[in-house]
Amino acid sequence: MQIPVIVQTVGMLAMSNVFMTIAWYGHLKNLESKPWWIAAIISWSIALFEYLLQVPANRIGYTQFSLAQLKIMQEAITLTVFVPFAMIYMNQPFKLDYIWAALCLVGAVYFIFRA
């Protein structure tokens, strides 16, 4: 059974976003006392896994979606991953602005995917 392109693309983009978010922001909590270059090396090491998922996700997705659709899809997934990360892992408070940003992305998804 062949997994649909949309499922492969969204699944791999979501997993790559988890790695990306940890690489970009995790060091702010775990490595704040270390020099920036140590945080950068560790972040780059984590980001490798992001790229190992991101690149094939985009190659698979590009067989069915336009470049703009892939980018907007990526941004919507990024917010979906980032908000729980910020609240749960980084102990940031929930903000109503997260809802407004999500609504803006819903609009972006609508406009980029409409026929």
Side-chain angles (χ1 to χ4, degrees):
M1 178 176 123
Q2 179 69 17
I3 299 171
V5 170
I6 184 73
V7 173
Q8 292 180 61
T9 303
V10 169
M12 291 175 78
L13 287 176
M15 289 186 296
S16 78
N17 258 280
V18 170
F19 286 108
M20 176 195 74
T21 302
I22 293 168
W24 284 16
Y25 303 108
H27 64 89
L28 298 174
K29 181 175 181 178
N30 295 322
L31 302 171
E32 67 274 359
S33 64
K34 303 287 185 197
W36 72 266
W37 59 272
I38 299 245
I41 289 170
I42 292 170
S43 291
W44 290 338
S45 299
I46 296 168
L48 169 65
F49 296 100
E50 173 204 352
Y51 281 92
L52 290 174
L53 292 163
Q54 178 82 16
V55 171
N58 283 325
R59 291 174 69 94
I60 291 166
Y62 196 61
T63 65
Q64 186 171 324
F65 304 107
S66 71
L67 185 62
Q69 288 173 327
L70 284 171
K71 182 59 182 170
I72 295 300
M73 191 183 312
Q74 172 69 30
E75 295 304 325
I77 292 168
T78 297
L79 185 62
T80 303
V81 170
F82 178 77
V83 170
F85 173 85
M87 292 174 59
I88 295 166
Y89 186 75
M90 298 296 289
N91 299 315
Q92 298 291 307
F94 178 79
K95 294 182 176 184
L96 195 55
D97 290 342
Y98 294 154
I99 300 293
W100 303 130
L103 289 173
C104 289
L105 281 172
V106 167
V109 169
Y110 167 77
F111 286 114
I112 208 69
F113 279 94
R114 70 182 174 155

